Amino acid sequence: MPSVRSPRAGVVACLAGLALAAAVQVAAPLPGPPLYDGVVSVEPYVYLQPSGTQQGGALGASSSNAVVGGVSPAIVLGTPEQPPQAQLLAAAGSLALPGGTTRLVVSITPVPATVEPASGTIVGNVYRVLIVNQAGAPVTGLPDTQVTLALRDPGSTGLASIEHLTGGTWQSLPTVSAAVTGTYETTGVTTFGDFALVGTPSAGGGAGGASPFAIITVGALVLALAAAVSPSVRNRLRRNRPAR
Amino acid sequence: MTTLVVPARGTGGGIRPGAVRRPARIAGMLGLLALAVFARREAVVNGAEGLIIGTAFGVALVGIAVAWGWRPGRPTIRSIATSGGAGLAAAAALVALALIGRVHGPWVPLDPAATLYPWVQVTLLVATAEELVLRGALFDALDEAGGLTIAVGVTAIVFALLHVPLYGWQVVPLDLGVGILLGGLRVVTGGVLAPALAHGLADLAAWWL
C-alpha cells in the first residue's frame, strides 16, 4: 500500500478545513491569535474596578448575528481575555425572537456592581449580558433550551455560584464547574441582564502553586499507565508467555 | 525532523496491525489523552509554571503516541521535501488566519530575551506531541477502523475539544477547521511531519501576533 493513498481527498480536506477556519475568522474573529496550542497561558483576571494589587482593564465583547429562516443562530461569544472571563453560548433555535427579527446583537459588558448579594460576595466583575434584535427589542431564551453562561473565577474561590440580578436582588442559578479552567457555568438561562459569580474569595486570591515534582509525578503516572495498557507491551508479554 | 515522516499502513511505520481490538485501542488512547488534558488543567488551576506544564504535557503525549504504536518511518528526500513544502504552505495559511482575527494594536518586536528560547522549545514540543498522538497514532487507528474520512473528522473533533479546557468553547469552530486542515495534510503527505510543521510554526507565530 503506498504511503500516500488519497492525495486528492487530502487536498479536499485541506481546502475544506481552511475554508471553515477562514469563515469562522471572518464571521467571528477571535480577539487573540488562533490558539492551536503551545505553552499554557492563563492571563491574570482583570477587573473593571481594581483595588490593591488587582489588575484593571476588563473588556467586553459584542457580535452581530444574522437570523435566517426565523430561527435564532448559534451564538458563541466570549470576552477577549485568555481564558475568557465571561462567555455566552446559545444553540441554534434556543432564543424567542420578536416578530420581524432579522439580526441579533449580542453583548457582554463588565459593569460596576450596584447591589451586593445576600448569599456571599461578588468575586470578579459583574457582566451585563444582553441580546437585542435590530430594533433594540430584548430577546429572551426559550425554556428547556441550551443557553449557557460561563464566568471565570478570579482565584481559588472554591464553592461559588452564578447569580442573576433580578428585580434588584441577586438570585442564585444552578451552577456547575465548567470544563474551562477555573470557570463556572449555568445552563438554561432564559432572561438576560446582570450576572456575577458569588462566593468566598480565597485569602491569596490566586493559585496555590503546584510543585514541579507534582507535575512530573502526574506526567510519569500518565506514561506508566500508557505503557501498562499499550498494545505493544501487551503483545510482548503475550509473546514471552511460555507455550503450554 | 526527518523522523516525523511516517509511512501509512504496511510501509514500515505506523500501528502494527492486530495489536488489540481497534475499539479498545481507540478508547484507550482517548482515555489517556483525556487524562493528560485533565492533569494539565489541574496543573494550570494550581498555578504551576507554564513551561513545566508544557514540557510534562508534551512528554506525556509523546509517551502515549509511542506506547500506542506510533513509530517513525524511513523518510526519503522526496517525502521530506514534499512534507516540508506542504507544512510551510499550511503554516503560512494559518498565520494568515491569525491576521484576519488580529485585534489591531502595536506589533510586539522580536524579543531576544532568554525567555523566548525555552518557550520556543516547549511550544514545538507540545505541537509536535499533539500531532504524534492525533495525526499519528490515533489517525492510524481510526483509519484502520473506519477509513480516512472518519480519521480526519474524529481527530479534528478531538483536536478542537483538546483546547476547550484552557481556551473556552469559542475556539472550537476555528480549531475544528484547523484540525480538518491538519488531517488533510496528513492524508496528502502520508506522515506527521507536515501537520507538525504547520502546527508548530503557527503556534510560534503567536509570539509576534
Side-chain angles (χ1 to χ4, degrees), chain A residues 40 210 215, chain B residues 43 47-54:
Chain A
V40 174
I215 307 303
Chain B
E49 210 273 320
L51 291 176
I52 295 173
I53 298 173

Side-chain angles (χ1 to χ4, degrees), chain A residues 45-65:
Chain A
Y45 195 94
V46 288
Y47 292 80
L48 181 67
Q49 296 170 313
S51 62
T53 58
Q54 294 173 345
Q55 293 189 25
L59 296 171
S62 66
S63 69
S64 179
N65 308 269

Side-chain angles (χ1 to χ4, degrees), chain A residues 106-125:
Chain A
V106 186
S107 63
I108 303 176
T109 313
V111 296
T114 52
V115 182
E116 283 298 320
S119 58
T121 309
I122 293 174
V123 288
N125 300 313

